[in-house]
Amino acid sequence: MSTFKPCHVMAKPSSSVCNLDCTYCFYLEKENLYPERKSRWQMSDETLEAYIEQYIDANSGNESIEFSWQGGEPTLMGLDFFRKAVELQHKYKKHHRITNAFQTNGLLVDDEWCQFFKQHNFLIGISIDGPAHLHDHFRVTRAGKASHEKVMAAITKMKKHGVDFNTLTVLNSENVKYPEEVYDFLVGIGSTFLQFIPIVERTAKQETDEGLFLVSPEYQAEADVTEWSVPSLAYGEFLNRVFDRWVKKDVGRIYVNTFDSTLATWCNEPSGICVQSETCGHAFILESNGDMYNCDHFVYPEHKLGNIHSASIQALNQTDKAVQFGMDKKDKLTLQCRRCPYRMQCHGGCPKHRFSRSEAGQEGHSYFCAGYYAFFSHTEAKMKQMRDLLMRGRPASDIIYLDLQRKMVANTFTGGRNSPCPCGSGKKVKRCCQIV
């Protein structure tokens, strides 16, 4: 059994090739890193097999191994490619339980795709930015046409076939203005697991030597935040207003990744998402030719680790470059971050967003600092209530009834903090509803 640290690799078999031309997409211009992709953009069978064999080997100590497929748009590879992927997974697995997560814009998802997803238990992440007037603001086809109707048709097909799906919503300068409308829409179409992904990019005044305009946080020349980027405080306000809606009626029924991850940190558990984790967790990206990079958001020449045809995933995972990238998230926090009361909830956010200055002028501070602080401070009391419920062996969803319960029993309760709680739990008031 391998003694190496496990890793996660998200494969992009179609690279940056996509059938949408989303205004805010940071990945489309990555084609400039691979000029040959104009004619040879698809992952070869040789690379596919090397990836699957090596990825299982790199995680051989795990009982469950998740493969993640993204793009560009992975459905452009065609069904036969993924049929072969499933065959290879069965060929190389041993005791492992193999799962697959698949992110798509939904435009090509038809009944045949849905039958395949259902047969092989794929979890689908479908990108949708809200109702049509918000989604179509930035998510358009190559011909500049709206895409919302086709995405909705894909969701209808997935529901018909019983395909598990969650929604991935990019928060941008437009839809961030309508938190309740976006949330209610997503819940209304049947999504029970919501991911909100704030977009912020900087565009350089001149393209880099590699032909890129959207630049990394290390870029030192002049660059401006794009017009489609979500403002920091607006992001915090969006989360707060969605949280206030969620905590009143949907806890335990609807799952929002940022809320779940934040609650975990209040319970002294690891964050469920990398953005809020203390270090970057060896979550790599694999290009269609086998090149592996530190992260999906760091596909820049300086962050290329190597190619799986020259070195194994297991070996690349252990390189000093990979290890250092992961630890830099913790080691390069600004002094303001280190002293922040919400450091354990945030850990400085994603390194991709650390291109601002702290209040003291220190470089490498998160662009989203103000938004995060607004969110963590606004939700702190409710998060602690849910934490306390969990510590007492009760579900976090009991918070929905807690305020009402307190009001009801307070009117009739005459005991003290050490009296049996009138809710009937058998515990003392101070360890249960705490109504006095």
Side-chain angles (χ1 to χ4, degrees), residues 132-372:
H133 74 101
L134 299 176
H135 175 94
D136 290 333
H137 192 85
F138 291 119
R139 295 187 68 82
V140 295
T141 67
R142 292 287 186 176
K145 296 182 179 179
S147 64
H148 190 267
E149 185 176 349
K150 290 185 176 180
V151 179
M152 288 302 298
I155 291 173
T156 298
K157 287 184 173 65
M158 288 194 294
K159 290 163 72 173
K160 181 181 75 172
H161 290 276
V163 175
D164 289 334
F165 74 93
N166 56 44
T167 50
L168 309 174
T169 300
V170 174
L171 295 182
N172 53 67
S173 59
E174 185 62 18
N175 64 358
V176 75
K177 303 171 188 174
Y178 306 94
E180 293 86 1
E181 184 177 1
V182 171
Y183 178 75
D184 289 349
F185 172 82
L186 296 173
V187 173
I189 63 174
S191 179
T192 57
F193 189 92
L194 285 59
Q195 296 185 53
F196 294 117
I197 307 163
I199 186 74
V200 58
E201 293 289 342
R202 293 188 304 155
T203 184
K205 297 296 185 182
Q206 295 183 332
E207 67 179 12
T208 67
D209 292 341
E210 295 79 26
L212 303 179
F213 278 97
L214 300 178
V215 292
S216 74
E218 296 99 337
Y219 186 78
Q220 295 298 312
E222 189 175 0
D224 296 321
V225 172
T226 61
E227 62 180 13
W228 61 80
S229 296
V230 58
S232 178
L233 277 175
Y235 174 49
E237 177 68 9
F238 179 96
L239 291 177
N240 287 344
R241 286 166 60 180
V242 169
F243 180 85
D244 289 345
R245 208 169 190 82
W246 173 81
V247 79
K248 289 179 181 178
K249 61 186 181 70
D250 289 334
V251 182
R253 185 177 75 90
I254 304 297
Y255 300 89
V256 180
N257 64 337
T258 304
F259 301 167
D260 293 343
S261 181
T262 301
L263 178 58
T265 63
W266 281 113
C267 296
N268 294 318
E269 297 291 337
S271 164
I273 54 178
C274 59
V275 172
Q276 293 175 249
S277 297
E278 185 174 23
T279 61
C280 286
H282 294 257
F284 307 116
I285 189 72
L286 185 74
E287 285 288 337
S288 63
N289 70 340
D291 284 350
M292 200 162 88
Y293 291 82
N294 276 317
C295 171
D296 183 28
H297 292 281
F298 284 84
V299 179
Y300 303 101
E302 62 269 30
H303 288 283
K304 178 180 171 181
L305 296 171
N307 188 286
I308 64 171
H309 292 295
S310 302
S312 70
I313 291 174
Q314 189 178 82
L316 293 173
N317 181 36
Q318 298 302 312
T319 60
D320 291 343
K321 192 172 184 178
V323 174
Q324 187 63 53
F325 179 83
M327 294 304 299
D328 279 350
K329 186 175 193 290
K330 174 184 176 181
D331 296 341
K332 293 188 176 181
L333 288 175
T334 62
L335 185 60
Q336 182 179 337
C337 274
R338 295 180 188 278
R339 293 177 173 175
C340 179
Y342 300 113
R343 175 179 173 179
M344 299 306 292
Q345 282 65 54
C346 178
H347 290 295
C350 177
K352 174 69 180 290
H353 304 147
R354 294 183 183 179
F355 55 81
S356 294
R357 291 178 180 269
S358 68
E359 293 174 354
Q362 188 177 358
E363 293 183 347
H365 199 65
S366 175
Y367 166 88
F368 283 117
C369 177
Y372 283 138

Side-chain angles (χ1 to χ4, degrees), residues 81-112:
F81 176 86
F82 291 99
R83 290 189 179 108
K84 185 173 184 62
V86 170
E87 291 174 2
L88 290 169
Q89 289 169 354
H90 284 286
K91 175 182 177 180
Y92 288 106
K93 75 172 186 177
K94 299 177 180 66
H95 60 281
H96 311 100
R97 183 175 72 90
I98 301 294
T99 59
N100 287 274
F102 190 100
Q103 184 173 337
T104 177
N105 60 35
L107 268 64
L108 297 180
V109 173
D110 57 15
D111 288 316
E112 190 177 11

Side-chain angles (χ1 to χ4, degrees), residues 394-421:
R394 295 169 62 178
S397 57
D398 275 5
I399 193 172
I400 298 172
Y401 314 105
L402 197 57
D403 287 340
L404 177 61
Q405 183 184 59
R406 283 174 172 168
K407 290 176 183 177
M408 291 175 64
V409 300
N411 291 330
T412 58
F413 181 66
T414 58
R417 283 171 50 79
N418 289 312
S419 300
C421 187

